[in-house]
Amino acid sequence: MKTQRLIMLLMVCATTVFAKPKTKPLFNGKNLKGWVKYNGDAEFKVESGEIVGVSKATRSSTFLATKKEYTNFILEYEFLLGKDLNSGVQFRSKVNSEGVVSGLQVEEDDSNRRWTGGIYYQGSKGWRYPLEYNKAARSAYKKGAWNKVKLIAFKNHVATFVNGVNVANLLEEVVEPGFIALQVHGAGKNKDGRENRWRNITITELEEEPSFAEAQAPVVSYLKNELTAEQKADGWKLLWDGKTTNGWRGAKRDDFPDKGWSIKDGVLTVHASGGGESVHGGDIVTTRPYKNFILELDFKFTEGANSGIKYFVDTELNKGKGSAIGCEFQILDDKKHPDAKKGTAGNRTVGSLYDLITADSRLFVEGLKPKKYVNKGAWNRARVEVRGSKVKHILNGCTVVEYERGTQQWKALVAYSKYKKWPNFGEAEEGLILLQDHGDEVHFKSIKIKEL
């Protein structure tokens, strides 16, 4: 008898230890019990076991949120999106005292852009995983039909699946609990009354890390000043360690500036000093040159700010006043800084090849209506890819500039720019990388490089 009881006890313990997490419905199929509406005035109702959100001709989005918050979970649901509508499902989200919702969102996109399953940060940070990172997954969404979504969120790792296809594979910087919410996006008058539908909404809360083996989409990481094991294996290196000035010096001095720059909480900041170009702390440059590379970093500009990321910099070219000379990925508050209206056709705006080529995602991203995505007051991601004479500027995941150095077209552009006085501008095989002091407060972090 004692042996039998011991066996039964061990079986109970094993069942308890190895029990699978329980999947629960978030929607009972009958009413909206357990949900609350935020922000807008669009209608949510229940029909035939489905939650129906009816679009309204307003600029404000409306959210139907769970009363409970979740952190680590697997969320599964089906959705049917109205023609040409944009919507999404919030997760790890919050609402402020004014009823404004912010947090991560799984995108639902019936436009020609086809970014369904991408990840957007509603209310502040903007696009975290646009489908330019995984173009092949744009075909996973079925227009005019029910689509099945699976979202896995465990600590920093987030992955989305649309109809079984892994769309997004994201490592987030911050992990916070938050509610799940269904969005009815603000719509124009011609889309008033169109419906978004959701059904079979379930959640499985997790205590242990689930398998991400099926998440084979390209990984996009926002880990602060940190490389993943995969990035290290792929040849990436931190260009700034997040703590010291190692690897950097002043553009017109042998050491790092003793004023105008600071390091705090893993953020490198150039301070405001009246808007002058390289007159306070001055520009900073890497202590060694680079030839073929992918440079990636996050930047945040304050209101009205001007700065830049330069490459192929030769600090011997300009010994006088002003910034060191090189090709520049422009950083600018386009709406507040007067430089946005100077130059030619906007070629001094954020993301542009300064004074030479205007940043415009529409030339490279199918179905994109805005000229570019810019997160004002929040972090943006810059990426510069150099492969010999061919160069790309990428802003928040979308290509905004492509060009080839040394061609007749290049020489013509330079001849019409402020760089015309510098012989063979931009044609050096290698050069330093520079962060600009233009007298405005701008922040940098997660500066990394991969040499090709």
Side-chain angles (χ1 to χ4, degrees), residues 11 43 51 56 68 156 169 202 237-238 284 311 334 411 427 430 438 440:
M11 290 176 65
E43 179 189 8
I51 297 179
K56 199 173 184 67
K68 184 178 177 180
N156 297 84
N169 200 3
T202 64
K237 295 180 180 179
L238 288 177
I284 59 172
Y311 48 100
D334 291 349
K411 294 179 185 296
E427 296 185 38
E430 64 177 21
H438 209 297
D440 296 314

Side-chain angles (χ1 to χ4, degrees), residues 74-126:
I74 297 174
L75 176 70
E76 296 183 90
Y77 58 92
E78 295 175 77
F79 75 92
L80 176 61
L81 193 56
K83 186 177 184 299
D84 297 329
L85 291 183
N86 177 282
S87 184
V89 173
Q90 298 286 137
F91 63 101
R92 292 181 176 174
S93 295
K94 302 285 187 180
V95 61
N96 65 17
S97 59
E98 298 177 351
V100 177
V101 170
S102 64
L104 294 164
Q105 179 190 109
V106 182
E107 178 76 358
E108 296 174 7
D109 183 8
D110 198 61
S111 75
N112 291 332
R113 187 184 59 178
R114 294 177 292 162
W115 280 4
T116 294
I119 299 177
Y120 181 78
Y121 199 105
Q122 177 75 26
S124 62
K125 298 180 183 179

Side-chain angles (χ1 to χ4, degrees), residues 187-204:
K189 291 182 179 180
N190 61 331
K191 298 178 184 177
D192 190 28
R194 297 186 187 178
E195 294 180 345
N196 304 304
R197 291 176 175 264
W198 295 269
R199 69 185 185 189
N200 299 328
I201 309 170
T202 64
I203 195 162
T204 307

Side-chain angles (χ1 to χ4, degrees), residues 42 51 53 108 136 151 234 274 289 348 356 394 409 429 431 433:
I51 297 179
E108 296 174 7
L151 164 67
D234 196 33
R348 296 185 180 183
L356 293 164
I394 300 169
Q409 182 182 19
E429 284 193 6
I433 292 169

Side-chain angles (χ1 to χ4, degrees), residues 167-188:
V167 176
N169 200 3
L170 175 69
L171 292 177
E172 262 295 350
E173 178 182 352
V174 178
V175 179
E176 295 180 309
F179 53 66
I180 310 294
L182 313 179
Q183 181 196 44
V184 171
H185 201 285

Side-chain angles (χ1 to χ4, degrees), residues 3 24 39 78 120 185 228 232 255 329 399 435 441:
T3 303
K24 301 178 181 178
N39 201 41
E78 295 175 77
Y120 181 78
H185 201 285
T228 67
K232 291 177 181 178
D255 58 355
F329 183 113
T399 300
L435 301 180
E441 184 176 311

Side-chain angles (χ1 to χ4, degrees), residues 440-451:
D440 296 314
E441 184 176 311
V442 178
H443 310 280
F444 303 92
K445 66 177 181 179
S446 301
I447 309 171
K448 51 187 174 288
I449 196 164
K450 176 183 176 181
E451 294 187 78

Side-chain angles (χ1 to χ4, degrees), residues 248 251 260-261 268-271 275-279 281-285 297 305-311 313 322-332 337 339 354 418-419 433-444:
W248 295 82
W261 293 83
L268 176 64
T269 299
V270 56
H271 294 284
E277 183 179 303
S278 196
V279 296
D283 303 338
I284 59 172
V285 296
L297 59 86
N306 183 354
S307 184
I309 305 157
K310 295 188 180 183
Y311 48 100
V313 172
S323 185
I325 303 303
C327 299
E328 180 177 355
F329 183 113
Q330 172 75 324
I331 295 174
L332 196 77
H337 198 284
D339 221 26
Y354 179 77
K418 65 182 290 184
Y419 299 112
I433 292 169
L434 175 151
L435 301 180
Q436 187 183 47
D437 170 16
H438 209 297
D440 296 314
E441 184 176 311
V442 178
H443 310 280
F444 303 92

